[in-house]
Amino acid sequence: MKKTLSVQKNEEIEVVFEDLTHDGAGVAKVDGYPLFVKNGLPGEKARIKVIKANKNYGIGRLLELYERSPYRVDIPKEDAPKYGGCQLAHIRYDGQLMYKENQVRQALARIGKIEGARIHPMIGMDNPWHYRNKAQVPVGEKNGKLVAGFFKPRTHEILDADESVIQLPAVNEAVQVVKEICRELGIPAYDEEHHSGVLRHIMVRYGRKTGELMVVLITRTVELPHRKKLVDLVVSRLPQVKSIVHNINPKRTNVILGEKTKVLWGNEVIYDKIGDIKFAISAPSFYQVNPVQTKVLYEKALEYAELTGSETVIDAYCGIGTISLFLAQKARKVFGVEIVPEAIEDAKRNAALNGITNVEFEAGTAETVIPKWYEAGNKADVLVVDPPRKGCDEALLKTILEMKPQKVVYVSCNPATLARDLRFLETGGYRTVEVQPVDMFPHTTHVEVVTKLLFGM
Ligand code: SAH
């Protein structure tokens, strides 16, 4: 017998929101049937329209609020472009922290079945605005004019934005200047629908401690029209620029960078500092986007590693060697592995730059290189993982269970895969003892956590 749903499509109903999803939508329940409604906040009473009624859940649109949450923040409509990508900007910052911390607790309990770990309150920012050192702005055309800003949520339409409330002022300015120059020179924007046109993204990176700027122009075509003029104008209007790079991405894809990168002007890298360590950063390498919180995160990772100077440490997913070099100051030896070859080049350069000699870096996947090291007799006392959102490859987790480092420090940008991997490690004899969420991405739904596990406790 077909069960009738509690709600029908196009129906207008009154609901009370109970919770938030991991992407920040309000959750209301009608006879146990969950409805997800963008912009609804827990505790709020609202009238909504059901726009989709699937078998197990529905989607609604907020029509009218009857009761407001004390955590609600109103953003004037004309300011919306500045808040592009800020899915949580309608929630007061202390509410955001509460929500993200709760998400970590729920993932660890429900997915990870983790018990007895100390989950600390999330460390937020004193000033959670204008923190990003990097922008990656999609470029398109509207009514014959080049626009650049962000994708309208769930569409392929690009909305023009003059600034972003989460980017550092120097980054906002650089994006704006480059955009203006591209308009003046008439550089054709990329057209995603027809896979035609030229300029796909403008990317800007900024070393907050050094003031150095990198501008990356990402095109579909091998040719970048008006290249010379463009470089001259960027150099003259952005005195802090140290590197101008052209990246070619000919594919139909939503991955931003292509495989080919050419330096058009200046250096291949820019420099920045975290704590006392200086880093060279090239265009394709990963580098944390929130410099203030990165220091907090790395210091926590270092604290959890509890190094005395005699340990061998492995830093899987090491990027440009940031965590590796932090740890090397307190360890006997650090081995770092990372899939992007350019990042490994940066990591080696960074070790030399800081006179750190007790590190070794290898390009490859963590799941193949670490088992190889283990077979060759390189066993870690402390293993640090900082994987992308999909979490650790199971082959790596299995190697950890064979190698049995005393301590694992797990840095994660996705509580769900973190919880899954912690379960795997717990089943193999580890225990999660400390969990520290750090807000690296205020006003967005992204959540970062650093975790300490001990073997055989
Ligand atoms: N710890 C570094 C980088 C973390 S981001 C930092 O804090 O800066 C995750 C990194 O893992 C990225 O540099 C990415 O290129 C890399 N990566 C992704 N998949 C990988 C794999 N299978 N093996 C090793 N590295 C991988």
Side-chain angles (χ1 to χ4, degrees), residues 142-343:
K142 207 170 187 176
N143 308 326
K145 189 180 175 195
L146 183 139
V147 291
F150 59 95
F151 285 106
K152 192 173 165 187
R154 291 179 300 278
T155 72
H156 290 268
E157 191 188 335
I158 294 168
L159 299 178
D160 200 48
D162 295 340
E163 61 168 307
S164 154
V165 294
I166 53 174
Q167 277 160 207
L168 284 163
V171 175
N172 277 332
E173 188 207 343
V175 171
Q176 213 36 35
V177 166
V178 174
K179 193 199 306 191
E180 278 305 322
I181 293 171
C182 292
R183 278 179 182 154
E184 280 170 39
L185 295 176
I187 294 177
Y190 175 59
D191 175 342
E192 194 185 2
E193 194 187 334
H194 302 100
H195 193 54
S196 60
V198 178
L199 188 61
R200 299 176 71 130
H201 277 86
I202 297 168
M203 172 169 147
V204 168
R205 254 180 171 165
Y206 177 65
R208 185 169 162 275
K209 278 281 161 67
T210 57
E212 295 192 1
L213 263 177
M214 173 185 273
V215 171
V216 187
L217 299 149
I218 300 139
T219 65
R220 178 189 66 87
T221 49
V222 176
E223 277 306 307
L224 171 61
H226 309 291
R227 184 170 49 107
K228 186 151 183 334
K229 189 94 194 108
L230 197 153
V231 166
D232 289 346
L233 287 172
V234 172
V235 172
S236 73
R237 292 188 200 170
L238 289 173
Q240 286 173 300
V241 80
K242 289 285 179 294
S243 166
I244 304 176
V245 173
H246 177 200
N247 175 275
I248 301 156
N249 187 353
K251 292 190 189 149
R252 264 186 193 269
T253 167
N254 55 11
V255 175
I256 296 176
L257 288 179
E259 280 157 25
K260 274 211 193 101
T261 303
K262 300 194 275 202
V263 178
L264 298 180
W265 182 89
N267 296 334
E268 192 188 343
V269 296
I270 56 163
Y271 294 94
D272 194 22
K273 267 184 107 173
I274 308 170
D276 295 328
I277 305 182
K278 195 169 177 187
F279 293 102
I281 310 148
S282 60
S285 296
F286 176 90
Y287 185 63
Q288 290 286 359
V289 295
N290 183 335
V292 172
Q293 295 296 83
T294 299
K295 186 157 177 282
V296 175
L297 182 79
Y298 290 172
E299 278 168 358
K300 199 40 93 174
L302 187 63
E303 178 193 320
Y304 283 175
E306 291 173 308
L307 300 173
T308 62
S310 63
E311 294 85 358
T312 302
V313 181
I314 290 179
D315 181 13
Y317 311 91
C318 71
I320 63 172
T322 39
I323 295 179
S324 318
L325 298 182
F326 248 67
L327 298 172
Q329 298 168 297
K330 300 269 167 67
R332 186 186 66 82
K333 176 93 195 195
V334 179
F335 294 90
V337 51
E338 155 66 43
I339 197 169
V340 175
E342 287 93 343

Side-chain angles (χ1 to χ4, degrees), residues 86 93 96 100 125 128 131 166 290 439-444:
C86 300
Y93 189 54
Q96 294 180 20
K100 290 187 186 182
M125 293 186 82
Y131 59 86
I166 53 174
N290 183 335
D439 194 22
M440 302 288 283
F441 313 102
H443 312 295
T444 79

